[in-house]
Amino acid sequence: MARFRVNGKEHQLDIEPDMPLLWALRDELGLSGTKFGCGVAACGACTVQVNGNPVRSCVTPVSAVEGSDITTIEGLAVNASLTPVQQAWIDHQVPQCGYCQSGMIMAVSALLASNPSPSDAEIDGAISNVCRCGTYPRIRQAIRSLRASA
Amino acid sequence: MKMNRRRFILGSTLVGGGLLIGYAASRPSKHRVANRDAGERPYLTTWLRIAPDNTVTVLVPHSEMGQGILTSLPMMAADELDADWNLVRVEQAPATDLFANGVLIKGFAESMGVSIPGVLDGLASAATMKVAEIMNMQITGGSSSVRFTGEHGMRVAGAAAREMLLKAASARLGVPESELSTSLSFVHHRASGRSLTYGELASDAARFEPSSEPILKTPEQFTLMGRSIPRVDIPAKVDGSAQYGIDAHLPGMLYAAVKTSPVFGNRLQSVGNTEAVLQRRGIKRIVELDDAVAVVADNYWRAQQALALLDIRFEETTNDSVNSRSIYAQYDTALQDELNEDVIEGDAPGFLASASDIVEATYRVPYLAHAAMEPMNCTVHFHDGRCDVWTGTQDNLGIRGRVAKVAGLDENSVTLHASYLGGGFGRRLPTGTNTIDQATQIASHFDVPVKTLWSREEDMQQDYYRPAVTSKFRAAFDNTGKLMAWENHYIGKNEPAEAAHTPYSIPHKHIAYALSDTHVPFGAWRSVAHSQHTFFLESFVDELAHRSGQNPYQFRLNMLADKPRHAAVLRAAAQKANWERNLPAGHAQGIALQESFGSIVAQVAEVSIRPDGSVQVHRVTCAVDCGRAINPDTVASQVESGVIFGLTAAMYGEITIDKGRVVQRNFPDYDMIRLRDTPQIDIVNVESGEALGGLGEPATPPIAAAVANAVYILTGQRVRELPLKNYRFTAAPVESAV
Ligand code: FES
Ligand code: FES
């Protein structure tokens, strides 16, 4: 039995301990905002936060998140009010196809929570997610606009 | 391009007290379902609807894959209509015959030259605009949506609706139309201070016949076109609510993982260890297909795990011995044979025969995969003699037809639920999508929905690839340094037909090609044939500039005297990039130019060589003439996207064939540009006011040559094969030509 909280809600799932969190979220819980891109931790589309840390859920077995607090893209906005990162993504018109953006937003939110004013080099180092549409210039602008001093 | 609007008649009708106005093609189709009195106007295809509550709903027949089409097309209709943008709603048109798009097909065909583009295979009548046979298409591709559907559908429908509203207001108020004006969804009569909303007039307006040639606005009259309007699809893409094909989640649904023969086309021979696999948790069935096997389970991961445990054998064929080297050898042989003529001007062979100094070069590029971010998938539900389909596609109708055919159903028994696309780039055209057939066959064994989802490895190894191409050049100058003869022999002939035609004025040209098919499936890949040929053309021109001691920018400019738009774009890029001035030590610039899909793009790349011998691109300056920008911010984002897509190909893109199969498996060995490699991208809009050009693709072709040309200046090494990751460069700057 796997037990964890997703977006504040307690879940108990009768699933194999080695099932990746990604598929527990998508296929068992029907939370489709977290995306499958590569399955081998190479693209970041599946990024969620586990106790606030960015984690690639496609290679994270549910046994590793037992008792943890998991936040997915669906859990960011509280009462329909967007987080500053989500708002910056709209202000800078970041998404194109949008498929990578759940993972991007989760990774960037985690970065800014631990380092509110990252340098460009720190941004480049922390955000290694793939965006096939090439929205990187806007992602960079959006993150810069969110720096604590900005 | 001149488009004859008269071919397309607008129709209108009254629905729910509102006005429905649309576009209808001028010939009936046997597929058509009438939504108005059958005899008279049997196949109205609706574009927009004005409701009594004053909202305007615009139906968009193309797929949103991030290019902003759900915003740009409604802007065009709303502008001509003088609608209040805040009252405009946007809907994705359902996949029914009524939305098939004849103008698009025609435009697509014409912009691609005389040949019918591959995506229109089997539709040879497209060029002659036999609407009846081509209406069954709903394509998003060829950078064409705004150019054709927008210019010839949306704007005409909006303008015609406005004229009808004016007529209705004139009758209602008893004043001549000439005293009326429109703005923000109102008709005003200034003299009497009276105003009526479009909603109030909608039902009256429906009584008038729409004009098929309404008066369109001139650019100075635009209120929405030319403004950066926020995209309507973005909010759903920041909170996880946007639904992609892969997100279909239905009661009782099952999941299929598939393994297809890694050597394209080889048949399935045997499947072993099935007993043990079927006993695993959640496994429902093993489905054998001609060239593949699928495991169906109640969770995708369970299906995938089980698939890996099967002992799967495929037949061997002669294709098993094909590899990238043998393909290039095959190309070289084909280029020795008799060639097909492409462009023959003057007498290049004659000039070359007598020239003392001939510049020769052979270029190659490898196969490329699309690697759209959303792996290929399709959910199919057979029930009650019908079937429902969920998938993201660049051609909803085409995919619906495909499913119907495989399922043996009538097209009207198939419902396609349109979804957002997690990337298209040509991969999600029916001609580039093998997942659909599999998904349909697999689901036909069940009465619950089955989602067939490919692993990234399947997605990469079962693509329809941008072909590998070899291109050979010979050229010669006269004794004043003027380029006189240009010979280019290359492999393959794909759309657009003019991809290998250099824009420069050269007296003698001999451009010819050999066809040399392989078993590797061909697919349209963002910008199609331009993606390879621009690298060849613009690299070789650069070689010639250096060989003749001329500045690569000036050399090009000198040969563009009869192409003022090209020259202006090239100049704009060089100017904005501060061409060859004040560059940091160790940096160099390369330049490249290409027209594609009606837009002209020039790029300057500023590059350096890292200590480890790899290439770093610092800044890309991109000048674009797309005629006129409908939504400038969308133009900018498409250009950024196109540059990065092309840069990924230039730096990393390589699909290698070995033992008949694709070597690369996933992003680690088919790498992508990421944030840390992303250059600064500066865009200059050169608004020529000419016919609208496409934008989804034109920024992709020039970047590889621009970067490689800078690498030459830094290293003295001419890059004639991509990708750049295969080189370890040593900085050895060449004397910069003046
Ligand atoms: S899907 Fe997890 S990193 Fe790509
Ligand atoms: S927006 Fe399409 S992959 Fe990032």
Side-chain angles (χ1 to χ4, degrees):
Chain A
M1 199 62 81
R3 272 173 243 259
F4 44 78
R5 272 175 307 284
V6 181
N7 304 329
K9 195 169 162 211
E10 200 72 48
H11 288 283
Q12 252 190 36
L13 295 172
D14 172 22
I15 53 176
E16 299 87 325
D18 53 343
M19 181 183 290
L21 178 59
L22 172 65
W23 301 110
L25 292 170
R26 287 187 59 87
D27 292 359
E28 303 295 318
L29 299 178
L31 287 171
S32 60
T34 305
K35 301 301 191 216
F36 165 55
C38 69
V40 297
C43 77
C46 65
T47 306
V48 300
Q49 291 172 13
V50 177
N51 303 327
N53 299 313
V55 157
R56 296 194 168 175
S57 64
C58 67
V59 293
T60 305
V62 291
S63 58
V65 298
E66 188 66 26
S68 300
D69 259 307
I70 292 152
T71 309
T72 70
I73 186 77
E74 290 94 342
L76 278 191
V78 186
N79 299 329
S81 100
L82 299 177
T83 64
V85 176
Q86 289 172 309
Q87 189 56 51
W89 249 238
I90 292 178
D91 295 344
H92 292 265
Q93 296 279 292
V94 172
Q96 288 189 23
C97 86
Y99 193 78
C100 70
Q101 301 296 347
S102 297
M104 285 286 183
I105 289 170
M106 296 312 289
V108 169
S109 304
L111 167 68
L112 292 172
S114 67
N115 178 1
S117 207
S119 67
D120 282 359
E122 285 170 332
I123 295 169
D124 285 357
I127 308 300
S128 60
N129 298 32
V130 173
C131 172
R132 185 58 164 143
C133 298
T135 60
Y136 305 115
R138 284 157 192 257
I139 289 173
R140 192 176 273 156
Q141 282 169 355
I143 301 175
R144 284 178 180 161
S145 77
L146 289 161
R147 282 174 182 154
S149 55
Chain B
M1 182 182 320
K2 271 258 180 291
M3 189 70 65
N4 186 350
R5 279 205 308 275
R6 248 174 304 221
R7 292 181 210 254
F8 308 104
I9 303 156
L10 286 159
S12 68
T13 188
L14 183 67
V15 278
L19 170 66
L20 182 70
I21 184 160
Y23 151 110
S26 52
R27 292 238 247 138
S29 155
K30 53 185 183 302
H31 302 299
R32 209 133 312 280
V33 183
N35 70 344
R36 207 184 164 200
D37 346 320
E40 181 194 346
R41 212 185 293 285
Y43 49 96
L44 185 70
T45 63
T46 41
W47 292 100
L48 56 95
R49 191 171 66 218
I50 301 169
D53 69 359
N54 210 22
T55 56
V56 175
T57 306
V58 182
L59 298 186
V60 175
H62 297 290
S63 308
E64 179 64 73
M65 44 191 186
Q67 79 283 40
I69 209 65
L70 284 181
T71 311
S72 303
L73 289 180
M75 278 169 68
M76 298 174 90
D79 197 332
E80 292 291 350
L81 181 59
D82 269 339
D84 180 347
W85 182 248
N86 295 316
L87 299 173
V88 174
R89 310 279 172 264
V90 177
E91 278 177 26
Q92 175 84 55
T96 69
D97 297 350
L98 301 175
F99 290 94
N101 194 334
V103 184
L104 170 71
I105 302 305
K106 170 125 166 87
F108 201 86
E110 287 184 359
S111 83
M112 295 293 196
V114 281
S115 72
I116 302 299
V119 290
L120 304 180
D121 263 347
L123 296 163
S125 56
T128 54
M129 197 53 207
K130 286 189 186 152
V131 177
E133 284 125 76
I134 65 168
M135 285 300 274
N136 206 15
M137 305 277 296
Q138 202 173 31
I139 282 179
T140 307
S143 299
S144 52
S145 310
V146 164
R147 283 197 286 166
F148 303 114
T149 305
E151 284 287 89
H152 304 287
M154 292 287 165
R155 290 188 61 189
V156 177
R162 179 178 164 276
E163 289 183 359
M164 292 160 76
L165 290 161
L166 281 171
K167 285 202 176 81
S170 158
R172 180 91 66 88
L173 300 175
V175 298
E177 273 180 62
S178 58
E179 290 177 16
L180 297 170
S181 64
T182 54
S183 78
L184 298 172
S185 295
F186 278 98
V187 178
H188 300 288
H189 183 241
R190 296 240 178 268
S192 65
R194 286 177 297 173
S195 293
L196 291 162
T197 68
Y198 285 0
E200 291 173 295
L201 290 165
S203 64
D204 281 10
R207 290 203 305 267
F208 295 93
E209 273 301 304
S211 158
S212 63
E213 287 195 302
I215 305 208
L216 300 182
K217 287 184 178 179
T218 54
E220 320 80 69
Q221 297 172 308
F222 294 166
T223 53
L224 293 167
M225 288 186 271
R227 278 175 52 199
S228 289
I229 305 270
R231 273 176 33 215
V232 300
D233 57 316
I234 283 188
K237 292 175 174 177
V238 304
D239 65 6
S241 62
Q243 291 288 300
Y244 299 82
I246 197 175
D247 297 331
H249 193 77
L250 302 154
M253 88 183 292
L254 298 174
Y255 304 82
V258 186
K259 175 75 188 165
T260 306
S261 169
V263 181
F264 310 107
N266 284 8
R267 299 173 63 87
L268 180 67
Q269 195 169 49
S270 66
V271 183
N273 200 28
T274 53
E275 298 283 294
V277 160
L278 283 167
Q279 274 160 30
R280 290 173 63 89
R281 176 171 174 189
I283 304 303
K284 304 294 180 193
R285 190 179 182 125
I286 296 166
V287 180
E288 295 188 15
L289 303 171
D290 276 356
D291 63 347
V293 58
V295 175
V296 183
D298 61 358
N299 171 297
Y300 179 66
W301 175 75
R302 289 186 186 121
Q304 242 189 342
Q305 296 291 104
L307 182 67
L309 295 173
L310 289 174
D311 178 13
I312 307 167
R313 312 230 160 182
F314 296 98
E315 281 176 9
E316 289 187 15
T317 64
T318 52
N319 289 335
D320 284 65
S321 58
V322 175
N323 58 46
S324 289
R325 277 182 319 283
S326 71
I327 289 171
Y328 287 139
Q330 175 190 320
Y331 286 176
D332 290 344
T333 310
L335 286 171
Q336 305 302 323
D337 284 351
E338 204 169 315
L339 303 179
N340 306 288
E341 293 186 350
D342 189 346
V343 175
I344 309 294
E345 287 168 20
D347 177 19
F351 190 91
L352 287 164
S354 62
S356 54
D357 189 16
I358 295 176
V359 187
E360 277 187 75
T362 300
Y363 283 80
R364 295 185 194 294
V365 290
Y367 290 101
L368 293 181
H370 295 83
M373 208 66 221
E374 176 192 4
M376 297 307 286
N377 65 84
C378 178
T379 299
V380 182
H381 183 197
F382 281 92
H383 61 94
D384 312 308
R386 318 179 28 84
C387 95
D388 282 72
V389 183
W390 291 261
T391 193
T393 152
Q394 288 175 251
D395 178 5
N396 290 332
L397 281 171
I399 293 293
R400 187 186 67 147
R402 184 85 167 254
V403 170
K405 196 164 164 212
V406 175
L409 288 171
D410 179 87
E411 284 185 22
N412 292 318
S413 306
V414 178
T415 305
L416 189 123
H417 301 264
S419 317
Y420 282 121
L421 283 70
F425 319 122
R427 178 58 156 132
R428 291 188 151 92
L429 290 165
T431 45
T433 312
N434 29 6
T435 326
I436 306 299
D437 297 17
Q438 279 189 351
T440 308
Q441 288 169 329
I442 294 165
S444 69
H445 295 277
F446 298 88
D447 57 7
V448 294
V450 181
K451 181 192 293 180
T452 295
L453 170 56
W454 281 8
S455 63
R456 173 58 63 191
E457 289 79 7
E458 283 293 292
D459 184 274
M460 195 160 286
Q461 301 195 324
Q462 300 295 334
D463 201 345
Y464 285 67
Y465 300 86
R466 184 196 81 166
V469 174
T470 298
S471 185
K472 288 175 182 287
F473 293 91
R474 295 199 305 149
F477 300 90
D478 68 9
N479 44 25
T480 68
K482 178 174 156 52
L483 179 58
M484 294 298 292
W486 171 277
E487 182 188 88
N488 180 198
H489 295 166
Y490 63 92
I491 290 293
K493 185 72 187 164
N494 296 305
E495 300 78 35
E498 72 278 12
H501 304 177
T502 172
Y504 304 111
S505 93
I506 305 166
H508 304 286
K509 288 183 185 170
H510 189 272
I511 305 174
Y513 61 94
L515 299 177
S516 184
D517 287 346
T518 69
H519 78 301
V520 182
F522 163 84
W525 187 97
R526 196 172 191 171
S527 82
V528 206
H530 284 295
S531 81
Q532 302 110 331
H533 284 287
T534 303
F535 168 63
F536 305 147
L537 300 177
E538 284 296 286
S539 295
F540 189 62
V541 161
D542 212 74
E543 289 199 48
L544 296 173
H546 287 280
R547 270 296 275 271
S548 61
Q550 301 179 63
N551 183 288
Y553 160 59
Q554 198 58 50
F555 182 69
R556 287 173 169 84
L557 208 52
N558 291 345
M559 296 188 292
L560 289 170
D562 61 344
K563 294 230 164 49
R565 283 181 73 191
H566 290 70
V569 172
L570 193 70
R571 245 185 247 114
Q575 223 158 53
K576 172 85 175 175
N578 217 2
W579 175 249
E580 291 185 340
R581 257 177 270 149
N582 302 325
L583 285 173
H587 288 214
Q589 287 175 325
I591 195 164
L593 169 74
Q594 183 63 50
E595 173 179 2
S596 63
F597 306 97
S599 293
I600 303 166
V601 176
Q603 291 170 358
V604 174
E606 182 182 327
V607 174
S608 70
I609 303 297
R610 293 196 186 92
D612 68 359
S614 64
V615 170
Q616 182 170 10
V617 182
H618 300 271
R619 179 176 170 214
V620 175
T621 308
C622 186
V624 184
D625 175 1
C626 62
R628 177 162 51 74
I630 298 298
N631 189 338
D633 191 56
T634 300
V635 170
S637 68
Q638 281 301 294
V639 168
E640 290 157 10
S641 171
V643 167
I644 290 169
F645 203 85
L647 196 55
T648 284
M651 300 288 278
Y652 302 118
E654 182 173 38
I655 287 291
T656 317
I657 306 297
D658 189 37
K659 301 197 176 77
R661 64 202 77 195
V662 167
V663 173
Q664 288 74 16
R665 293 172 48 80
N666 202 321
F667 292 128
D669 56 3
Y670 191 75
D671 210 354
M672 303 277 130
I673 294 284
R674 304 188 188 223
L675 196 58
R676 64 170 175 272
D677 306 319
T678 299
Q680 177 187 331
I681 300 176
D682 297 329
I683 299 166
V684 200
N685 262 318
V686 182
E687 295 232 338
S688 65
E690 297 287 333
L692 287 191
L695 276 160
E697 301 171 271
T700 297
I703 188 66
V707 172
N709 293 341
V711 167
Y712 173 75
I713 295 177
L714 292 166
T715 66
Q717 194 175 344
R718 183 52 69 178
V719 174
R720 297 198 185 91
E721 292 185 28
L722 293 175
L724 292 160
K725 71 165 169 127
N726 293 346
Y727 297 77
R728 283 291 159 265
F729 293 103
T730 333
V734 297
E735 286 285 301
S736 175
V738 204

